[in-house]
Amino acid sequence: MLTPDTIDEDSGYRYYSAEQLLVIQRIIDLKNRGFTLEEIKSLLVEDVSPAEVKKSLIAKKLELQQFIEEAQSRLKEINLGLERMKDLDEQPSTVPIVIRNVKSQLVASIRDTIPRSHLCLLLDEIKQYVREHREDDNRSLTVQWHSNDFEEDLIDVEVALPVAKHIPGSDRVNVHFWPELKQAASLVHWCDPYHSSCSGLTELATWISSNGYRPNEAEPIREIYLTADQDLYGKLRRAELLIPIEKI
């Protein structure tokens, strides 16, 4: 953009004349306003008109306004993330196992038999579907494990998202009320949902048998993901494992 006055043949150092200082200052000023070197070059030509300069300034102003709006939106999301992290920090590291009732809930769900490694695809599919129907896709994802053998590669699984109102279903998506679980043993823990084994499942099963209960095999195990996708930074997410039970 700026041709040196002289170049030292030995060192390659470039030297500029005092007369070039004004041009250098203009380049720095335009860079500070956010112009790229290519945009600056067009503003330094001798025959550039005031109309062209005005057009360039207006375009840069709109570009910077859009950048500010996008940055403010990102800042808002980061602040919301920090608030949710604060809520997680305030939760106890260990939560005692309890027996609780799980109310019936309107959900959009997909049930399929898939490789365990494809669970994330199924979760993403249901999130996209409710989003397309203008429902909040950041509600707690829930998984129903219809397979009894958690070690199998192919699993019969149903993924669901709560919805505020009835939305159209499809050949893949069923919009319906999940039945109430009158009694379920609940364990809140950290887990890797894509791993074939779950220590929480073993812990909860041991507690059930030690307290005079047994799993109600007529109802599938549920798992509610308490950590939203946007707050998942490692492999583990906080989840509530629910095993329907009956008294022995």
Side-chain angles (χ1 to χ4, degrees):
M1 186 177 299
L2 195 62
T3 303
D5 187 49
T6 59
I7 299 177
D8 189 295
E9 294 182 359
D10 296 326
S11 65
Y13 285 176
R14 293 168 291 180
Y15 293 90
Y16 298 88
S17 66
E19 290 78 8
Q20 292 176 300
L21 179 59
L22 177 61
V23 179
I24 293 172
Q25 289 176 332
R26 290 172 64 195
I27 292 171
I28 292 172
D29 180 60
L30 290 168
K31 276 178 63 67
N32 289 337
R33 297 189 204 179
F35 286 94
T36 66
L37 292 178
E38 193 64 32
E39 291 167 337
I40 292 170
K41 188 182 295 184
S42 66
L43 293 172
L44 293 181
V45 295
E46 292 183 4
D47 58 348
V48 63
S49 68
E52 289 174 310
V53 172
K54 183 178 179 181
K55 181 179 178 182
S56 295
L57 290 172
I58 291 173
K60 183 56 63 176
K61 177 184 176 181
L62 294 174
E63 179 186 321
L64 291 173
Q65 284 176 334
Q66 182 179 357
F67 176 81
I68 290 170
E69 289 171 4
E70 291 174 354
Q72 288 175 333
S73 176
R74 294 190 186 106
L75 183 60
K76 180 181 177 182
E77 288 299 318
I78 288 174
N79 285 331
L80 289 173
L82 287 171
E83 285 297 318
R84 290 190 294 265
M85 291 294 291
K86 181 181 177 183
D87 293 339
L88 283 175
D89 288 340
E90 293 174 352
Q91 293 176 358
S93 56
T94 58
V95 180
I97 295 172
V98 297
I99 296 174
R100 78 177 188 91
N101 171 266
V102 182
K103 300 295 185 184
S104 176
Q105 190 173 38
L106 180 65
V107 300
S109 72
I110 302 175
R111 182 174 177 178
D112 203 352
T113 301
I114 57 169
R116 180 176 290 275
S117 59
H118 288 190
L119 177 60
C120 55
L121 301 179
L122 210 59
L123 292 169
D124 188 62
E125 184 180 349
I126 194 63
K127 283 171 66 70
Q128 287 192 38
Y129 188 87
V130 300
R131 191 187 308 129
E132 289 168 1
H133 288 81
R134 298 184 178 181
E135 283 283 335
D136 184 3
D137 65 322
N138 288 316
R139 296 188 179 105
S140 296
L141 283 160
T142 303
V143 179
Q144 279 202 146
W145 305 95
H146 294 277
S147 295
N148 291 325
D149 191 348
F150 283 80
E151 301 297 329
E152 289 291 330
D153 180 51
L154 283 178
I155 52 173
D156 180 4
V157 66
E158 185 176 5
V159 299
L161 267 175
V163 288
K165 61 183 182 301
H166 276 281
I167 60 175
S170 71
D171 57 341
R172 287 277 290 170
V173 178
N174 186 17
V175 180
H176 61 125
F177 278 93
W178 260 4
E180 174 188 17
L181 297 180
K182 293 184 178 180
Q183 277 194 125
S186 163
L187 171 65
V188 176
H189 68 305
W190 291 90
C191 72
D192 180 352
Y194 309 120
H195 200 276
S196 60
S197 62
C198 175
S199 59
L201 185 63
T202 304
E203 181 183 349
L204 193 53
T206 301
W207 184 94
I208 290 169
S209 62
S210 301
N211 286 271
Y213 294 91
R214 64 187 171 201
N216 182 351
E217 295 183 358
E219 297 176 295
I221 294 172
R222 288 186 195 176
E223 194 163 20
I224 303 172
Y225 294 159
L226 305 177
T227 304
D229 286 353
Q230 66 266 36
D231 296 323
L232 186 61
Y233 297 104
K235 287 186 176 181
L236 301 181
R237 71 195 309 164
R238 195 172 177 85
E240 181 185 17
L241 186 61
L242 294 160
I243 300 182
I245 57 173
E246 56 189 6
K247 194 73 176 175
I248 295 177

PDB file of all heavy atoms in Angstrom, residues 184-197:
ATOM      1  N   ALA A 184     -41.002 -44.165  41.841  1.00  0.00           N
ATOM      2  CA  ALA A 184     -39.737 -44.373  41.130  1.00  0.00           C
ATOM      3  C   ALA A 184     -38.592 -44.020  42.068  1.00  0.00           C
ATOM      4  O   ALA A 184     -38.638 -43.007  42.773  1.00  0.00           O
ATOM      5  CB  ALA A 184     -39.678 -43.510  39.876  1.00  0.00           C
ATOM      6  N   ALA A 185     -37.578 -44.872  42.090  1.00  0.00           N
ATOM      7  CA  ALA A 185     -36.355 -44.565  42.837  1.00  0.00           C
ATOM      8  C   ALA A 185     -35.546 -43.590  41.995  1.00  0.00           C
ATOM      9  O   ALA A 185     -35.320 -43.819  40.800  1.00  0.00           O
ATOM     10  CB  ALA A 185     -35.572 -45.833  43.118  1.00  0.00           C
ATOM     11  N   SER A 186     -35.110 -42.499  42.633  1.00  0.00           N
ATOM     12  CA  SER A 186     -34.448 -41.414  41.907  1.00  0.00           C
ATOM     13  C   SER A 186     -33.021 -41.235  42.397  1.00  0.00           C
ATOM     14  O   SER A 186     -32.766 -41.135  43.596  1.00  0.00           O
ATOM     15  CB  SER A 186     -35.233 -40.108  42.105  1.00  0.00           C
ATOM     16  OG  SER A 186     -34.459 -38.986  41.755  1.00  0.00           O
ATOM     17  N   LEU A 187     -32.091 -41.168  41.430  1.00  0.00           N
ATOM     18  CA  LEU A 187     -30.683 -40.893  41.729  1.00  0.00           C
ATOM     19  C   LEU A 187     -30.201 -39.780  40.810  1.00  0.00           C
ATOM     20  O   LEU A 187     -30.209 -39.934  39.582  1.00  0.00           O
ATOM     21  CB  LEU A 187     -29.818 -42.142  41.526  1.00  0.00           C
ATOM     22  CG  LEU A 187     -28.296 -41.918  41.598  1.00  0.00           C
ATOM     23  CD1 LEU A 187     -27.879 -41.479  43.005  1.00  0.00           C
ATOM     24  CD2 LEU A 187     -27.533 -43.170  41.181  1.00  0.00           C
ATOM     25  N   VAL A 188     -29.788 -38.660  41.390  1.00  0.00           N
ATOM     26  CA  VAL A 188     -29.175 -37.563  40.618  1.00  0.00           C
ATOM     27  C   VAL A 188     -27.669 -37.779  40.619  1.00  0.00           C
ATOM     28  O   VAL A 188     -27.051 -37.903  41.679  1.00  0.00           O
ATOM     29  CB  VAL A 188     -29.529 -36.197  41.229  1.00  0.00           C
ATOM     30  CG1 VAL A 188     -28.805 -35.080  40.483  1.00  0.00           C
ATOM     31  CG2 VAL A 188     -31.039 -35.971  41.192  1.00  0.00           C
ATOM     32  N   HIS A 189     -27.100 -37.873  39.429  1.00  0.00           N
ATOM     33  CA  HIS A 189     -25.676 -38.199  39.328  1.00  0.00           C
ATOM     34  C   HIS A 189     -25.096 -37.588  38.058  1.00  0.00           C
ATOM     35  O   HIS A 189     -25.812 -37.022  37.241  1.00  0.00           O
ATOM     36  CB  HIS A 189     -25.476 -39.716  39.325  1.00  0.00           C
ATOM     37  CG  HIS A 189     -25.995 -40.386  38.090  1.00  0.00           C
ATOM     38  ND1 HIS A 189     -27.298 -40.244  37.633  1.00  0.00           N
ATOM     39  CD2 HIS A 189     -25.383 -41.203  37.180  1.00  0.00           C
ATOM     40  CE1 HIS A 189     -27.466 -40.943  36.521  1.00  0.00           C
ATOM     41  NE2 HIS A 189     -26.320 -41.520  36.217  1.00  0.00           N
ATOM     42  N   TRP A 190     -23.771 -37.702  37.911  1.00  0.00           N
ATOM     43  CA  TRP A 190     -23.080 -37.272  36.695  1.00  0.00           C
ATOM     44  C   TRP A 190     -22.795 -38.507  35.846  1.00  0.00           C
ATOM     45  O   TRP A 190     -22.313 -39.513  36.351  1.00  0.00           O
ATOM     46  CB  TRP A 190     -21.773 -36.559  37.032  1.00  0.00           C
ATOM     47  CG  TRP A 190     -21.982 -35.237  37.684  1.00  0.00           C
ATOM     48  CD1 TRP A 190     -22.082 -34.977  39.022  1.00  0.00           C
ATOM     49  CD2 TRP A 190     -22.143 -33.975  37.028  1.00  0.00           C
ATOM     50  NE1 TRP A 190     -22.290 -33.636  39.245  1.00  0.00           N
ATOM     51  CE2 TRP A 190     -22.329 -32.990  38.034  1.00  0.00           C
ATOM     52  CE3 TRP A 190     -22.142 -33.571  35.696  1.00  0.00           C
ATOM     53  CZ2 TRP A 190     -22.511 -31.645  37.748  1.00  0.00           C
ATOM     54  CZ3 TRP A 190     -22.316 -32.226  35.404  1.00  0.00           C
ATOM     55  CH2 TRP A 190     -22.507 -31.284  36.407  1.00  0.00           C
ATOM     56  N   CYS A 191     -23.115 -38.434  34.564  1.00  0.00           N
ATOM     57  CA  CYS A 191     -22.948 -39.629  33.732  1.00  0.00           C
ATOM     58  C   CYS A 191     -22.539 -39.248  32.318  1.00  0.00           C
ATOM     59  O   CYS A 191     -22.712 -38.107  31.880  1.00  0.00           O
ATOM     60  CB  CYS A 191     -24.236 -40.452  33.695  1.00  0.00           C
ATOM     61  SG  CYS A 191     -25.555 -39.664  32.723  1.00  0.00           S
ATOM     62  N   ASP A 192     -22.005 -40.231  31.611  1.00  0.00           N
ATOM     63  CA  ASP A 192     -21.731 -40.125  30.172  1.00  0.00           C
ATOM     64  C   ASP A 192     -22.846 -40.881  29.466  1.00  0.00           C
ATOM     65  O   ASP A 192     -22.872 -42.112  29.485  1.00  0.00           O
ATOM     66  CB  ASP A 192     -20.370 -40.732  29.838  1.00  0.00           C
ATOM     67  CG  ASP A 192     -20.040 -40.639  28.347  1.00  0.00           C
ATOM     68  OD1 ASP A 192     -20.926 -40.252  27.561  1.00  0.00           O
ATOM     69  OD2 ASP A 192     -18.901 -40.967  27.977  1.00  0.00           O
ATOM     70  N   PRO A 193     -23.813 -40.174  28.857  1.00  0.00           N
ATOM     71  CA  PRO A 193     -24.980 -40.856  28.288  1.00  0.00           C
ATOM     72  C   PRO A 193     -24.653 -41.790  27.130  1.00  0.00           C
ATOM     73  O   PRO A 193     -25.475 -42.623  26.762  1.00  0.00           O
ATOM     74  CB  PRO A 193     -25.873 -39.694  27.824  1.00  0.00           C
ATOM     75  CG  PRO A 193     -24.953 -38.547  27.655  1.00  0.00           C
ATOM     76  CD  PRO A 193     -23.863 -38.722  28.666  1.00  0.00           C
ATOM     77  N   TYR A 194     -23.460 -41.654  26.553  1.00  0.00           N
ATOM     78  CA  TYR A 194     -23.126 -42.480  25.395  1.00  0.00           C
ATOM     79  C   TYR A 194     -22.255 -43.675  25.773  1.00  0.00           C
ATOM     80  O   TYR A 194     -21.839 -44.445  24.914  1.00  0.00           O
ATOM     81  CB  TYR A 194     -22.433 -41.626  24.327  1.00  0.00           C
ATOM     82  CG  TYR A 194     -23.214 -40.382  24.020  1.00  0.00           C
ATOM     83  CD1 TYR A 194     -22.670 -39.118  24.210  1.00  0.00           C
ATOM     84  CD2 TYR A 194     -24.531 -40.461  23.552  1.00  0.00           C
ATOM     85  CE1 TYR A 194     -23.403 -37.967  23.945  1.00  0.00           C
ATOM     86  CE2 TYR A 194     -25.267 -39.326  23.293  1.00  0.00           C
ATOM     87  CZ  TYR A 194     -24.698 -38.083  23.484  1.00  0.00           C
ATOM     88  OH  TYR A 194     -25.429 -36.956  23.234  1.00  0.00           O
ATOM     89  N   HIS A 195     -21.964 -43.814  27.064  1.00  0.00           N
ATOM     90  CA  HIS A 195     -21.155 -44.940  27.522  1.00  0.00           C
ATOM     91  C   HIS A 195     -22.059 -46.135  27.781  1.00  0.00           C
ATOM     92  O   HIS A 195     -23.195 -45.996  28.239  1.00  0.00           O
ATOM     93  CB  HIS A 195     -20.386 -44.569  28.787  1.00  0.00           C
ATOM     94  CG  HIS A 195     -19.204 -45.450  29.049  1.00  0.00           C
ATOM     95  ND1 HIS A 195     -19.316 -46.657  29.697  1.00  0.00           N
ATOM     96  CD2 HIS A 195     -17.891 -45.315  28.722  1.00  0.00           C
ATOM     97  CE1 HIS A 195     -18.127 -47.217  29.780  1.00  0.00           C
ATOM     98  NE2 HIS A 195     -17.239 -46.426  29.188  1.00  0.00           N
ATOM     99  N   SER A 196     -21.563 -47.338  27.492  1.00  0.00           N
ATOM    100  CA  SER A 196     -22.401 -48.540  27.587  1.00  0.00           C
ATOM    101  C   SER A 196     -22.711 -48.937  29.023  1.00  0.00           C
ATOM    102  O   SER A 196     -23.693 -49.620  29.281  1.00  0.00           O
ATOM    103  CB  SER A 196     -21.729 -49.707  26.859  1.00  0.00           C
ATOM    104  OG  SER A 196     -20.467 -49.980  27.425  1.00  0.00           O
ATOM    105  N   SER A 197     -21.878 -48.549  29.970  1.00  0.00           N
ATOM    106  CA  SER A 197     -22.123 -48.913  31.367  1.00  0.00           C
ATOM    107  C   SER A 197     -22.354 -47.664  32.196  1.00  0.00           C
ATOM    108  O   SER A 197     -21.834 -46.600  31.884  1.00  0.00           O
ATOM    109  CB  SER A 197     -20.941 -49.706  31.927  1.00  0.00           C
ATOM    110  OG  SER A 197     -19.768 -48.920  31.913  1.00  0.00           O
TER     111      SER A 197
END
